[in-house]
Amino acid sequence: MGNKIIQVNELKKNFHVGEITVHALKGIDLEIEEGEFVAIMGTSGSGKSTMLNILGCLDKPSDGIYKLDGISMGDMNKNELAGLRNEKLGFVFQSYNLLPRTTALENVEMPLYYNSRVKAKERRERALAALDAVGLADRMHHMPNQMSGGQQQRVAIARSLVNDPRVILADEATGNLDTRTSYEIMSLFQDLNDQGKTIIFVTHESDIARFMKRNVVFKDGRIVKEEWVKDRFNAKQMLTELPVDQDVI
Amino acid sequence: MNYTNTLKIALNALRRNKFRAFLTMLGIIIGVASVIAMLAIGQGSKKSIQDEMSSMGTNMIFIMPGADMRGGVRQSASDMQTLKLSDVEAIKEQCSAVSAVSPQVSSSSQAVVGNNNWPTSVYGVDNDYLEIRKYSIETGRNFSDREVKTYAKVCLVGQTVIENLFPNGENPIGQSIRVGTIPLKIIGVLAEKGENGMGQDQDDMIIAPYTTVQKRMLAITYIQSIFASAASEDVNDQAIEQISETLRRTHKLKADDADDFSVRSQAEMVQMFSSVSDMMTMLLGAIAGISLLVGGIGIMNIMYVSVTERTKEIGLRLSVGGRGNDIMMQFLVESILLSVSGGIIGILLGLGSSTAVSALMNWPTVIVPMSVVFAFLVCTVIGVFFGWYPARKAASLNPIDALRYE
């Protein structure tokens, strides 16, 4: 603990649309320590997606410094950024983004194909372990279309875990799920965070943000509010309080 | 990223779309199979023509009376009476490159033995004729010089005639056969030769001394054609030249007169037929080649659609750490796998159908090893060439846009 895993100083991002320059990020300062569980919140157009792209090394800042795990990504080329994503980051998307007609196990294995240090046997073992960690070891040969949304998202989480990343970036990961399933996914994230994983979770739902430890609110390209969550929700407890109905996974 | 991983990723991607992969390959399969089968059929017919031609004697040269004008009226070549026995003698004596020469006169007659009769051709020739035309005697003997000189009533008979006139399998040697009004004694039976390149039965014939046919049957003094044989294939052209010169001299033609005869060699015929079948082969090959090209474009089309359709997958692969190069290799390998495996299936299908065609339809086919190698190379090139552009497109995608693509 106390190890600064993400350091962002005076980060700016400009887009040129025709002759107009759009200032999507107007000087962001943010530090995230290992083991944190941070919600990045904001309405659409607030700059939170741009922030996530930069944090995820998918895009480069126009100005300012971004250090991931002590490595400054400012002067890296495309391939080096790809390597960084492969080793340090795990992505979870709103629409799961699983490969169709591909088993859960193979979906989870996929990121490891891009790491030539991982051999076939180790790849399989790590994918199995990741699936086990999200409680889907018994579904490893199922195709995405044979699974519920919650299960698909858990496969996607297993995929983000398989490379043992320093940070998991979740982009509206519960956006497509019903309340019960959302809570189950949040419960999984809370477990992972309890095990020490650093998680950055982009959401616009304030009740989802209350499952996290810290909330950072973006507005018009700036951080307007940064607060530690009081009365943090416990997903497991909330699941037991939900009225039991038929939408059981 | 190592090559095994690229290969595995590409294989998995193709496996997810087995049916589409098969349809994509189908163009290549049909293209390659038809190239191989067409070339095999073309080469087969060329070879069978060549074989048949050379079975008629590769060194053979034949001389026919040529077009002539009499009082301004053109005469048909078969009516010409310009070839004389003296021409044969002159060729025999003066042409060093000619090893054998025989006159030929022929007549179509009904041949009769007992109750059986059969319409056939009687060729009146010298006894060198068998050597020139590559006939051999199965039983009996060839006629002698003396028999030629004495207009002897003897003959050699081909297998077809024997079958029709001696249906019960009697020994024909020594039997008498009536040709027209002339009874001829069978002194030999020719070995079977089969059909020639033009489908003519080479066993449906009776061979007799030319003197006999000339004097006893046709009552003519001229001869209808001359068959000669060059000493070897190498001196074929020389022999033709010598014959032409000799005949121009004996026919007393002036320098600016046209030949009143024509000299053709078997080699020329072989060449002519070969070039016809070469042209056919090229035509068939070109049509098949076009279908191969269309197959290649089909691959490009599908790969292109596939890149668009899988934009999100590409975005995902980029976001989990795939580099542009990895993505490009994946699509390139997919396209090469499609075209090469399509090519292999096509080659097998082409070989199979060539064999089937020759087995079922009795068409001669010769599989050209070069066409197999060529088809395989073309497939690989098609895979790279038509896969390159879609693969480049895939690799150049921006991960953020690709992930957001709907």
Side-chain angles (χ1 to χ4, degrees):
Chain A
M1 287 294 187
N3 184 14
K4 289 187 180 61
I5 209 156
I6 283 175
Q7 288 173 281
V8 174
N9 290 319
E10 272 302 303
L11 193 88
K12 287 176 185 153
K13 179 69 185 177
N14 306 325
F15 292 107
H16 302 280
V17 184
E19 289 177 5
I20 309 158
T21 303
V22 178
H23 302 280
L25 296 175
K26 302 168 182 168
I28 303 291
D29 292 299
L30 183 65
E31 285 190 352
I32 294 173
E33 294 182 355
E34 191 165 8
E36 275 205 70
F37 193 177
V38 180
I40 291 182
M41 300 178 65
T43 54
S44 66
S46 62
K48 67 180 196 301
S49 292
T50 310
M51 189 65 202
L52 185 78
N53 288 339
I54 293 172
L55 289 178
C57 300
L58 293 167
D59 206 353
K60 288 168 90 171
S62 308
D63 196 14
I65 294 167
Y66 168 37
K67 280 188 186 168
L68 171 65
D69 204 17
I71 304 163
S72 173
M73 58 91 85
D75 43 4
M76 284 189 163
N77 65 29
K78 268 178 139 182
N79 287 348
E80 286 168 327
L81 286 178
L84 208 59
R85 292 197 293 271
N86 186 246
E87 287 177 23
K88 305 248 183 229
L89 297 170
F91 289 89
V92 181
F93 304 96
Q94 180 174 2
S95 53
Y96 329 131
N97 282 7
L98 297 179
L99 297 179
R101 291 181 288 279
T102 305
T103 63
L105 185 63
E106 284 170 325
N107 262 298
V108 175
E109 276 185 325
M110 198 266 282
L112 297 179
Y113 275 103
Y114 297 101
N115 185 344
S116 54
R117 283 193 297 276
V118 180
K119 297 282 169 286
K121 189 162 167 276
E122 188 190 347
R123 185 164 64 220
R124 173 90 1 149
E125 283 165 1
R126 283 171 70 170
L128 278 171
L131 270 177
D132 198 37
V134 300
L136 280 179
D138 54 333
R139 302 288 168 103
M140 63 182 183
H141 295 306
H142 286 221
M143 303 290 176
N145 60 359
Q146 297 167 323
M147 290 187 281
S148 67
Q151 287 172 328
Q152 290 188 50
Q153 192 59 299
R154 282 199 273 165
V155 173
I157 293 169
R159 183 181 61 199
S160 76
L161 289 172
V162 76
N163 57 345
D164 193 21
R166 301 288 286 150
V167 180
I168 293 176
L169 294 165
D171 186 5
E172 304 274 11
T174 57
N176 282 6
L177 301 172
D178 60 51
T179 311
R180 171 175 286 276
T181 318
S182 296
Y183 289 180
E184 283 167 353
I185 294 298
M186 290 322 296
S187 154
L188 181 56
F189 274 119
Q190 286 187 333
D191 287 347
L192 290 171
N193 182 243
D194 290 345
Q195 291 158 26
K197 281 282 173 227
T198 313
I199 300 169
I200 300 173
F201 198 108
V202 172
T203 183
H204 62 271
E205 295 172 82
S206 49
D207 55 334
I208 289 291
R210 288 190 64 188
F211 288 97
M212 288 140 222
K213 290 176 179 167
R214 178 155 67 122
N215 290 355
V216 177
V217 182
F218 277 67
K219 193 176 181 188
D220 296 332
R222 294 184 202 281
I223 294 175
V224 291
K225 198 162 101 182
E226 209 175 338
E227 61 176 5
W228 294 92
V229 179
K230 294 164 213 137
D231 308 325
R232 189 178 167 215
F233 285 172
N234 181 315
K236 281 200 183 60
Q237 192 193 333
M238 292 193 50
L239 269 172
T240 58
E241 289 163 7
L242 266 184
V244 180
D245 52 24
Q246 63 270 31
D247 59 10
V248 181
I249 50 162
Chain B
M1 171 124 158
N2 58 38
Y3 295 109
T4 344
N5 283 358
T6 313
L7 195 66
K8 272 185 196 161
I9 289 172
L11 275 174
N12 284 340
L14 291 180
R15 213 188 45 200
R16 292 210 311 265
N17 270 310
K18 285 195 202 79
F19 188 63
R20 187 167 74 181
F22 172 72
L23 284 181
T24 313
M25 279 194 290
L26 204 56
I28 292 287
I29 293 174
I30 292 171
V32 168
S34 54
V35 163
I36 288 175
M38 292 302 171
L39 291 183
I41 290 169
Q43 282 298 310
S45 64
K46 180 178 170 181
K47 184 161 186 298
S48 79
I49 289 170
Q50 277 175 339
D51 285 352
E52 278 158 15
M53 288 287 180
S54 58
S55 80
M56 287 156 69
T58 43
N59 307 344
M60 195 185 80
I61 295 166
F62 69 102
I63 301 129
M64 293 197 313
D68 193 12
M69 298 237 280
R70 290 190 195 168
V73 181
R74 283 204 168 168
Q75 308 288 314
S76 96
S78 54
D79 289 342
M80 294 294 100
Q81 303 184 2
T82 50
L83 292 179
K84 300 272 184 312
L85 264 180
S86 57
D87 294 332
V88 179
E89 296 304 323
I91 292 170
K92 216 178 257 179
E93 282 161 20
Q94 295 170 25
C95 300
S96 56
V98 174
S99 62
V101 58
S102 163
Q104 179 185 281
V105 286
S106 66
S107 140
S108 293
S109 304
Q110 205 71 9
V112 182
V113 173
N115 291 333
N116 299 304
N117 68 90
W118 178 249
T120 187
S121 302
V122 184
Y123 293 100
V125 296
D126 204 351
N127 48 18
D128 277 345
Y129 186 76
L130 295 189
E131 183 202 322
I132 298 167
R133 297 296 304 269
K134 298 272 195 294
Y135 279 100
S136 55
I137 292 173
E138 194 174 78
T139 52
R141 61 173 178 87
N142 196 354
F143 45 81
S144 64
D145 283 342
R146 195 184 137 71
E147 280 164 331
V148 173
K149 277 184 188 134
T150 58
Y151 318 143
K153 290 188 269 188
V154 292
C155 69
L156 306 168
V157 185
Q159 289 289 342
T160 307
V161 180
I162 295 288
E163 276 163 30
N164 286 290
L165 295 183
F166 299 92
N168 304 321
E170 308 96 315
N171 181 12
I173 305 286
Q175 303 259 25
S176 184
I177 182 170
R178 187 162 59 78
V179 180
T181 54
I182 316 296
L184 299 174
K185 192 176 129 199
I186 299 173
I187 57 168
V189 175
L190 297 170
E192 190 167 344
K193 216 177 168 198
E195 289 182 0
N196 71 6
M198 286 151 286
Q200 191 186 358
D201 183 0
Q202 299 180 94
D203 298 315
D204 187 7
M205 63 189 300
I206 294 173
I207 291 175
Y210 67 93
T211 49
T212 313
V213 177
Q214 254 187 336
K215 297 285 171 337
R216 294 186 192 272
M217 298 171 93
L218 296 170
I220 53 171
T221 55
Y222 62 92
I223 55 177
Q224 288 161 339
S225 51
I226 301 172
F227 281 82
S229 184
S232 75
E233 258 183 271
D234 304 332
V235 294
N236 225 337
D237 293 340
Q238 202 185 333
I240 291 170
E241 210 167 294
Q242 287 177 353
I243 290 170
S244 295
E245 279 168 19
T246 308
L247 289 180
R248 286 187 72 85
R249 209 157 44 239
T250 56
H251 290 188
K252 299 189 171 61
L253 295 176
K254 296 191 195 80
D256 53 350
D257 284 346
D259 287 351
D260 60 352
F261 56 88
S262 62
V263 185
R264 292 264 175 277
S265 75
Q266 190 68 19
E268 268 176 56
M269 298 283 279
V270 170
Q271 226 165 41
M272 198 177 80
F273 278 99
S274 299
S275 75
V276 168
S277 71
D278 270 349
M279 214 168 75
M280 198 177 76
T281 308
M282 265 169 59
L283 193 73
L284 292 175
I287 292 169
I290 288 171
S291 69
L292 190 57
L293 183 73
V294 171
I297 293 170
I299 286 196
M300 179 153 161
N301 190 6
I302 296 289
M303 290 307 294
Y304 202 74
V305 170
S306 166
V307 168
T308 312
E309 187 193 88
R310 284 152 68 189
T311 300
K312 229 172 174 168
E313 174 190 332
I314 294 165
L316 173 71
R317 289 183 184 279
L318 288 168
S319 72
V320 300
R323 290 165 298 160
N325 215 21
D326 298 331
I327 305 297
M328 173 153 150
M329 283 308 289
Q330 175 190 339
F331 279 86
L332 205 52
V333 168
E334 274 182 38
S335 131
I336 294 171
L337 276 177
L338 281 177
S339 61
V340 167
S341 46
I344 291 171
I345 298 172
I347 286 170
L348 295 178
L349 197 67
L351 297 183
S353 54
S354 306
T355 320
V357 158
S358 57
L360 296 177
M361 299 168 76
N362 265 328
W363 285 7
T365 57
V366 174
I367 284 147
V368 195
M370 268 311 292
S371 76
V372 176
V373 176
F374 175 76
F376 191 79
L377 286 179
V378 165
C379 283
T380 318
V381 171
I382 279 177
V384 176
F385 184 79
F386 289 118
W388 183 265
Y389 187 67
R392 274 286 301 280
K393 187 180 175 238
S396 64
L397 287 174
N398 178 341
I400 300 165
D401 298 339
L403 276 170
R404 300 248 181 284
Y405 184 86
E406 290 300 336

